[in-house]
Each structure stands twice: as structure tokens, then as C-alpha cells.
Amino acid sequence: MCGIVGYIGTKKAVPVLIKGLLSLEYRGYDSAGICVLNNDILNVVKSKGRVKNLESNPELPNLTGSIGIAHTRWATHGIPSNENSHPHLDNSKEFAVVHNGIIENYTELRKMLEKEGYTFISQTDTEVIPNLISYYYKTEKDILKAVSLAIKDLKGSYAIEVISPLLPDSIIVARKDSPLVIGVGKGENYVASDIPAVLNYTTKFYFLEDNEIAKIDKDKISFYNNSLQPIQKEIKDIEWDAASSEKGVFADYMLKEIFEQPQVVMETIGSRLKPNEKCYFEDIDIDLKDINKIFVVACGTAMHAGLATKYTFEHFCKIPVEVDMASEFRYRNPLIDEHTLCIFISQSGETADTIAALKLAKNAGSKTLAVVNVIGSSITRIADYTIYTHAGPEIAVASTKAYTCQVVLLNILAIYFAESLGYSSKELENFKTEILELPSKMKIILDDTKLIEDFAKEVYTQPDLYFIGRNTDYAVSMEGSLKLKEISYIHSEAYAAGELKHGPIALIEDGVTVIGVATNPNLVEKTMSNLEEVITRGANVMVITNQDIPNMKINCNIRIPKCSSMLSPVLSVIPLQLFAYYIAKDKNLDVDKPRNLAKSVTVE
Ligand code: G6P
């Protein structure tokens, strides 16, 4: 994973790089490092742990130049340590490199370079890159050429930034399968793994494609293909504003993002949906009559958004839907062809497994449609069609607002498909109105969080928790359970309520907490009897419901506004997000940066 940032201009590079790294910490926080080029010398400072350790490193003020590259690391090859931190230098200390990605053939390259007399001080895969550049530079005497030859040798994924006193007015960057954007300023330019890292300085961006190289000077950017032929690229103006990637009055990004949900859901609905009008998606011209199966493929929370919406597609479009994890889908020879529509969901648009699954679907001739949050990200450039959620930058590692936006957008897409197939009904019209009412209903839930906060205080010391529900309530239970694991480190499981009796109920004893989600009028009685069964065995129960429920010994009853059960995940997930959040806070944990996790998983 890892995050990289670069600056070239007239300002001091260090403050810009530190600010960028702080915003990229969601990608990894095992160590951080900076290299600044000044008076023909590459000066490097590294610190183990979080970026704040680097920020307070007493050596940092010595880096005074205006050209620099920086890195925050999520360790893959080699433990988090100073030696393994980036930037890495070649043996002659003429090339400094930061890298996000994994070089799969680094052992082979290292052996080859060792034969040539090169030595290595780290256990990383990255250290081969500066040495490989140095190796080619010896014969080519041209840095751009040396970089292009070096990256031709690399197998795997990379976004790299290279600086050198031999080319003192430029940063060279290249990418393959790892994200990299170039922010354009006046007399200065920026490089980063994502847009928010430099959004404070510019809203104008170039998106580097796979196998492209750029030479970035302070007032000029030149692009090349991998044979070093010059290419033209289009600049894009990004609508996100810098404030949307700041914490503001909130204690954590996660809390801020939970509270932003009514607004971003409203923006995601945008003008796509209006009462008594047909739904509208520009540019999607799939012949749905020709589609006999939909696959929804994604990872983590995005996959849960697929599970929560499969019911809508099946109900309104009458097309069977299968939801799969990208990591499974890509290795199981799925039965797909030109009559299959594969929908890929991703907040970042950079998840390695999702990208691989998408490429596989394309090769099989399926139609591919991506639901993505980050504009211009890799997935959007591969899929046949892309539709965007408008969640804005999501910084907290645990995804919240991206999920609700994905669920809403997929529901709208299902309506659009149904209408394109010629279906219309009163139910479909009411469903549209209900979608438009979601933001105000979400706000009602967020206006009073006390009960959830109190219940979290009651149970935060427990070692295990269980979530149950049926239909979309089961899908949302899975997401609630994932949120809890991610940020509170409490073991939890989600079960389809009807499955309890087939095993999990053996785990229920006095004092065990069970969270029931019951929003489906046709299934509420059944879920409530399942809850009765756990109460009988001593469970401590929280229910999230918008239905009339029988009088039972429930410890915490969270009422949410009524809505179609196909849309209820958008509402019922909010108490579950808050529950996980308050528990993590009660345990004094870092909710925005949970241990071992990264937001954008660009490795397998
Ligand atoms: C990581 C993140 C999750 C996210 C998943 C998929 O595991 O920690 O929050 O749901 O990746 O990410 P994507 O960007 O593809 O939605």
C-alpha cells in the first residue's frame, strides 16, 4: 500500500511533503521518510512509526531545498525499521526513490545487481530500483532513459518518484498498477498517491496511466510512453475542495464521515433521480435485454454494499445477481460471457483484487461497469462504464460514507435498469420517492446517538459479539460486524438469523451480546423469535428496527425511520457504524488508523 508525495517549486519542500504524508497515512503508517535535493546532495531523514515521528525528528529542519520526495510505509518486505524505510538510495547516492507497490522479481534483480558489485542495506523489494537506475545510467548517461529501462525490468506494481543531483531540476515519476496523480501549480508541481494529499495547493490534475513516465519540472511537465516517445495528456479539474479532506470540528475523520452521510448521499442522488421522471445515467448504453446475469464483485465494505443491493436488482429487474469477493472471483473461473454484466464497486478505485477481477471479466467479454468514488482512479480507466458516488474524500480507514453512497447509487442503478427494461409500477415510483427521503431520515438517526453511546459503554469490554438479521438486514449485519472488528479489535460474527440454530447458538451464554437488525416487515417476526431464543439463553440484546416488535427483554432498542427494506441498509448501518466507533473510543483506540489495516489495498 504505502503513500508517496513529491514537490518541486520555490517553496520549502518539507512542510508540503509532511502535510501530504499526514493525509496519506491511511495507506500505511509503519514508517515515514523524506529526501530533499539541495546543493547537489540528496539529504534523507527517516523515522519509524507515524508521520508525526518524522515531523518531530530533530534532523528534519536540515532539509531546506525545494525539490523533494516522501513516503509513508505499509510494510510488506522487511520489518518496519529505519533501514527499510523509504526513500532508498543507490550505492553511489545519486538516485533517491520512493515506491508504492510490490516488485515481485526483486530477488532475481537483487542477485543480478549483486553480481555487478551492488550492495544492499535493506530487506525491501524497493532498494533494487535506485540501483537498477544507477546500473543503466552508467551506460546510458541519461536519467529518463535509465528509469525507462529500469522499470521495464520490474515485475509487479509500482508508482515511483525519482530525484537525482544529475538532473537537479526535475522529479521523474512512473507507474504501473499503483496510483499516482500529478497536481499542477503555478511555478510549482506536486505528485501524490491520491488527490486529497495535495488538494490544499491545486485542483488541477494529470492522471498517469500504466507504463507512462513523466518528467516534472517546476514550470513544465513532459509525458512519455514506455518507449520514451512524448505523449499528450489532458488536465482535469477536480471539484473536491480542500476543506472536505480536513477533520473540522470532529474528533476523528471517521466521526466526521459518519455525520457527512446525509449530505453526500444527497449529492450522490444528484440529478439522477427525480419523482415521476425516468432515472438517468449518461453514457450507459448497455442492452439489458441481452444480459442474463449480473455479477457484483468487490472487497470489504464495498462488497457488503453489493450484498445489500442484490435484492433490488433481482426484485425490479428480474435478473439473477451473484455477489462475490474480488479475491475469490479472480481465481475461480467464473461462468461469465458477453451476456453477463459485471459490476465492480470500489471507493478508491485502486484495490488490486478488484482491478484483477475487472480485467478478467473484460477478457471474458462481459460488460463491465464500475461504481467508484475516486475520480480518474485505475478502475475507472479499465471498466467499460463508470458511475461515481459523490462521497468526497474518505480518509478514515474504516469505510462509512462511501458505503451508504454505494448502496444508494446501486439502488438508483437498479431502477434505471428496470426502467430501461420497460418495467414500471407504483412500487417503483414509491421507491424513488423513498430514496429522495433518505438524507432527512439519516439526519434523524444522527440527531440522537445517546442510546448507542450508552450501550457501547456497557459492552465495550466484551471479547465477542454477534450480529443477526435476514435479507438486507443480514447484509447490513455483516457490515456492522466488519466495522466493529476493524476499529475495536473485538471478535465478532454476523449470521443470517435463520442460521443461528444450525450452530452459532451454541456460543450464546449468559451476558453474550447479540445485535439484531429487523427492518423487513415480512421477516421481523422471524428475526424477533431468533432474538427471543438468544435472550432465553441469557444474551444481552440490542435491536435496530423500524417495525412494531413484541414486548421482550431487550437491553437497547434503537428506532430508525421506516423505509423500504431494500433501502434500510442506508439507515440501519448508521447505528452500527456509531456503535463500532463509540466502542473503539471507549477502548481508547485510534479509530482512523486501526492496526494492520490500510485504506487502499493495492497489493494482493
Ligand atoms: C480495504 C479497506 C476497506 C475497503 C476495502 C475495499 O480493506 O480497509 O475499508 O472496504 O479495502 O476498498 P475499495 O477502495 O475497493 O472500496
Side-chain angles (χ1 to χ4, degrees), residues 94-95 133-134 136-137 140-150 162-168 170-172 213 215 228:
E94 284 175 329
F95 301 97
I133 296 171
S134 139
Y136 283 116
Y137 184 79
E140 298 298 330
K141 300 284 174 226
D142 177 311
I143 296 192
L144 207 53
K145 232 180 197 164
V147 171
S148 87
L149 289 169
V162 186
I163 52 173
S164 167
L166 302 168
L167 191 68
S170 309
I171 303 177
I172 308 269
I213 302 174
K215 176 173 169 290
L228 285 188

Side-chain angles (χ1 to χ4, degrees), residues 111-131:
K111 276 194 194 131
M112 180 285 272
L113 288 163
E114 276 167 350
K115 271 198 198 130
E116 296 291 328
Y118 286 86
T119 55
F120 292 86
I121 51 176
S122 78
Q123 290 108 49
T124 65
D125 51 337
T126 302
E127 204 183 351
V128 296
I129 306 175
N131 285 308

Side-chain angles (χ1 to χ4, degrees), residues 278-547:
K278 283 198 168 176
C279 271
Y280 181 62
F281 280 93
E282 227 178 48
D283 299 336
I284 299 186
D285 57 359
I286 304 168
D287 180 5
L288 288 153
K289 293 221 161 62
D290 201 35
I291 299 294
N292 56 26
K293 182 164 188 183
I294 297 177
F295 255 105
V296 182
V297 183
C299 300
T301 292
M303 197 269 294
H304 289 164
L307 287 173
T309 48
K310 106 185 200 101
Y311 304 91
T312 320
F313 284 98
E314 293 194 334
H315 182 72
F316 286 126
C317 311
K318 318 283 177 228
I319 304 175
V321 178
E322 196 171 330
V323 183
D324 207 354
M325 290 161 262
S327 56
E328 287 295 310
F329 179 89
R330 64 182 288 193
Y331 291 121
R332 74 169 172 99
N333 295 325
L335 294 176
I336 51 175
D337 57 24
E338 68 275 23
H339 302 294
T340 319
L341 168 65
C342 294
I343 301 179
F344 297 86
I345 313 169
S346 177
Q347 188 287 125
S348 62
E350 300 293 348
T351 305
D353 283 323
T354 312
I355 293 176
L358 165 59
K359 287 181 178 165
L360 180 140
K362 267 196 103 166
N363 286 340
S366 302
K367 312 272 178 306
T368 57
L369 185 152
V371 175
V372 175
N373 192 45
V374 177
I375 300 156
S377 53
S378 302
I379 287 178
T380 68
R381 298 199 296 269
I382 307 169
D384 298 328
Y385 307 92
T386 297
I387 56 174
Y388 285 104
T389 47
H390 290 275
E394 194 181 59
I395 311 287
V397 167
S399 180
T400 53
K401 60 176 182 170
Y403 170 84
T404 38
C405 288
Q406 286 158 354
V407 173
V408 167
L409 188 56
L410 285 157
N411 271 300
I412 300 175
L413 185 70
I415 302 175
Y416 171 70
F417 283 179
E419 288 178 338
S420 308
L421 284 163
Y423 295 113
S424 66
S425 64
K426 183 96 186 72
E427 190 193 2
L428 201 61
E429 284 312 311
N430 289 343
F431 192 69
K432 286 187 196 171
T433 313
E434 288 219 37
I435 292 180
L436 294 166
E437 289 167 357
L438 284 172
S440 56
K441 292 182 179 173
M442 296 170 93
K443 218 172 152 304
I444 293 172
I445 302 172
L446 289 164
D447 279 346
D448 187 6
T449 60
K450 174 105 180 37
L451 281 180
I452 306 160
E453 219 172 326
D454 290 349
F455 192 66
K457 276 218 161 44
E458 224 179 278
V459 302
Y460 78 95
T461 52
Q462 299 208 349
D464 310 285
L465 262 105
Y466 299 93
F467 292 76
I468 61 167
R470 290 166 182 259
N471 196 269
T472 53
D473 291 335
Y474 171 44
V476 96
S477 297
M478 293 171 85
E479 176 55 12
S481 171
L482 178 66
K483 282 292 87 77
L484 191 71
K485 286 188 200 91
E486 283 178 311
I487 60 167
S488 79
Y489 316 148
I490 293 178
H491 164 249
S492 76
E493 303 278 350
Y495 288 105
E499 278 295 296
L500 261 191
K501 56 187 175 292
H502 297 296
I505 200 158
L507 299 167
I508 307 298
E509 54 183 352
D510 224 14
V512 168
T513 297
V514 178
I515 320 282
V517 186
T519 67
N520 187 317
N522 302 325
L523 299 169
V524 61
E525 274 178 23
K526 304 214 176 290
T527 304
M528 293 317 288
S529 353
N530 298 129
L531 283 173
E532 187 67 67
E533 287 155 17
V534 296
I535 291 172
T536 309
R537 286 156 181 87
N540 185 20
V541 167
M542 171 163 99
V543 177
I544 292 152
T545 187
N546 51 12
Q547 301 295 312

Side-chain angles (χ1 to χ4, degrees), residues 4 6 69 144 147 151 158-162 170-175 180-182 190-192 208 212-216 221-224:
I4 61 175
I69 56 176
L144 207 53
V147 171
I151 60 176
Y158 56 82
I160 56 167
E161 299 170 352
V162 186
S170 309
I171 303 177
I172 308 269
V173 299
R175 69 156 272 179
L180 192 143
V181 299
I182 299 169
Y190 305 83
V191 190
L208 210 65
E212 289 178 353
I213 302 174
K215 176 173 169 290
I216 306 169
I221 306 173
S222 319
F223 297 98
Y224 305 90

Side-chain angles (χ1 to χ4, degrees), residues 42-248:
L42 294 169
N43 295 299
V44 178
V45 177
K46 304 174 177 183
S47 293
K48 203 179 146 195
R50 299 256 159 117
V51 174
K52 67 174 174 355
N53 299 352
L54 178 68
E55 204 176 358
S56 57
N57 188 317
E59 289 172 33
L60 199 65
N62 302 335
L63 307 192
T64 52
S66 299
I67 303 177
I69 56 176
H71 185 270
T72 179
R73 178 166 185 248
W74 188 79
T76 57
H77 296 66
I79 54 158
S81 68
N82 262 4
E83 298 76 60
N84 291 331
S85 302
H86 302 216
H88 288 286
L89 301 187
D90 72 309
N91 286 176
S92 65
K93 302 205 181 336
E94 284 175 329
F95 301 97
V97 171
V98 290
H99 163 225
N100 167 34
I102 287 186
I103 305 306
E104 287 159 6
N105 59 338
Y106 82 101
T107 320
E108 195 183 299
L109 292 171
R110 197 162 156 147
K111 276 194 194 131
M112 180 285 272
L113 288 163
E114 276 167 350
K115 271 198 198 130
E116 296 291 328
Y118 286 86
T119 55
F120 292 86
I121 51 176
S122 78
Q123 290 108 49
T124 65
D125 51 337
T126 302
E127 204 183 351
V128 296
I129 306 175
N131 285 308
L132 209 50
I133 296 171
S134 139
Y135 168 75
Y136 283 116
Y137 184 79
K138 280 182 188 156
T139 46
E140 298 298 330
K141 300 284 174 226
D142 177 311
I143 296 192
L144 207 53
K145 232 180 197 164
V147 171
S148 87
L149 289 169
I151 60 176
K152 278 198 181 124
D153 287 348
L154 305 179
K155 290 209 177 93
S157 57
Y158 56 82
I160 56 167
E161 299 170 352
V162 186
I163 52 173
S164 167
L166 302 168
L167 191 68
D169 299 318
S170 309
I171 303 177
I172 308 269
V173 299
R175 69 156 272 179
K176 184 179 157 281
D177 295 335
S178 289
L180 192 143
V181 299
I182 299 169
V184 182
K186 284 204 177 79
E188 56 186 5
N189 290 311
Y190 305 83
V191 190
S193 296
D194 75 13
I195 296 163
V198 292
L199 200 53
N200 266 291
Y201 312 103
T202 181
T203 55
K204 299 205 177 331
F205 286 89
Y206 285 110
F207 295 93
L208 210 65
E209 302 285 342
D210 279 355
N211 302 313
E212 289 178 353
I213 302 174
K215 176 173 169 290
I216 306 169
D217 300 349
K218 68 178 184 327
D219 36 29
K220 187 172 178 221
I221 306 173
S222 319
F223 297 98
Y224 305 90
N225 65 14
N226 62 353
S227 321
L228 285 188
Q229 277 156 339
I231 51 172
Q232 295 303 318
K233 291 191 70 77
E234 208 182 298
I235 203 161
K236 292 217 166 90
D237 216 337
I238 298 301
E239 287 167 18
W240 295 352
D241 66 286
S244 62
S245 51
E246 306 280 342
K247 249 191 275 186

